[in-house]
Amino acid sequence: MLEFLQSAEEAARRGGNVLRAWSSKFTVREKSRSNLVTEADFASQQAIHEFLRGRYPHHGFHGEEGLDEVRPDSPYRWVVDPLDGTTNYVHGFPYFAVSIGLEFEGKLVVGAIFDPSRDEMFLAARGCGATVNRRPLHRSDVPELSQAMVVASLPVATSPDDMAVKRFLRMLPHAQTVQRTGSAALNLAYVAAGRLDGFWSTSLKPWDMAAGIVLVEEAGGKVTQLDGGPFQLAEPNLLATNGSNIHQELITHLA
């Protein structure tokens, strides 16, 4: 696991360096309304993929920008988001990241999330704990939702009638503060770091969540579906918290 973690870290740094290099010169095209994609996104994924494939040519890959390499004979699959928080990146809002997770026999075992704006590297491997820039991560000890800072991911190009928007509004009277940030990967990293107390979404893809799930759980937090059922990477149904009573309170209000 430690070798894989080191590889994930190096790959994430390479992707982050690409994002830094492109930040002042990219051009933008629309993938859909409010879902911008840049040349930087593809360049970051290429750098990550080339590095990891060079080390592990028989591993599978699954990534946001059309990366899907199935290796039926390998128990390993890398799940890559080369730029999580694309719209933030395009607008120069410094809340975006590179996210790389590793599955072994369908279970998430390694996670690396790199924030190039703050030069923060979040790392976790099963049974080895979670760190940020080599310092141990611990989830918050906030015990009640009324004292909590929680965040949500809302679908792209959503409408006021969307259930995700209704859930967001429903939470406003119950938490100390409710936010929407634009980067699911960093939201999960921040739950692991104790900077946020809870995060939920019903609109994420596997690459948005893979690395962060390992971080949250290795930092002592809890990850389920919104109704408390077992989390499934292939399903866009996520509730991640510090594992205190906040988790059950959120289930009560969100499910």
Side-chain angles (χ1 to χ4, degrees), residues 140-226:
S140 78
D141 58 3
V142 174
E144 304 291 338
L145 187 57
S146 61
Q147 305 170 32
M149 182 173 183
V150 296
V151 294
S153 286
L154 301 182
V156 172
T158 190
S159 73
D161 296 327
D162 193 292
M163 181 55 69
V165 175
K166 293 179 179 179
R167 286 194 187 99
F168 185 91
L169 296 174
R170 191 190 307 159
M171 287 305 308
L172 294 177
H174 301 290
Q176 186 176 80
T177 184
V178 184
Q179 304 287 344
R180 180 193 187 193
T181 63
S183 173
L186 280 183
N187 291 345
L188 287 164
Y190 277 29
V191 171
R195 301 173 188 175
L196 295 173
D197 306 303
F199 168 54
W200 74 89
S201 179
T202 55
S203 57
L204 299 177
K205 301 295 186 182
W207 47 78
D208 298 314
M209 304 180 283
I213 298 306
V214 188
L215 280 159
V216 171
E217 293 182 340
E218 284 297 310
K222 185 173 183 179
V223 179
T224 67
Q225 294 190 345
L226 261 61

Side-chain angles (χ1 to χ4, degrees), residues 7-131:
S7 295
E9 176 182 7
E10 175 63 23
R13 287 196 186 279
R14 291 183 179 219
N17 289 338
V18 169
L19 299 183
R20 285 175 174 148
W22 276 83
S23 61
S24 62
K25 63 181 182 180
F26 62 76
T27 59
V28 178
R29 60 185 174 84
E30 288 274 0
K31 188 159 57 175
S32 62
R33 186 172 74 86
S34 300
N35 191 358
L36 301 169
V37 64
T38 68
E39 286 92 337
D41 209 333
F42 290 96
S44 175
Q45 181 165 282
Q46 182 178 10
I48 293 165
H49 182 224
E50 287 181 354
F51 173 76
L52 291 174
R53 185 176 57 181
R55 285 200 170 185
Y56 310 110
H58 303 298
H59 287 192
F61 288 87
H62 186 51
E64 181 178 17
E65 300 303 333
L67 177 60
D68 196 17
E69 294 182 0
V70 179
R71 297 287 188 267
D73 296 332
S74 174
Y76 293 101
R77 183 176 76 153
W78 295 92
V79 185
V80 177
D81 193 341
L83 173 52
D84 185 71
T86 307
T87 301
N88 289 348
Y89 177 73
V90 167
H91 287 277
F93 184 74
Y95 198 83
F96 56 88
V98 177
S99 178
I100 301 174
L102 176 64
E103 288 181 311
F104 174 71
E105 295 182 343
K107 299 185 186 211
L108 292 164
V109 293
V110 164
I113 296 174
F114 182 50
D115 176 353
S117 299
R118 295 170 184 80
D119 198 27
E120 287 191 319
M121 177 65 73
F122 299 86
L123 298 171
R126 288 295 176 196
C128 300
T131 62

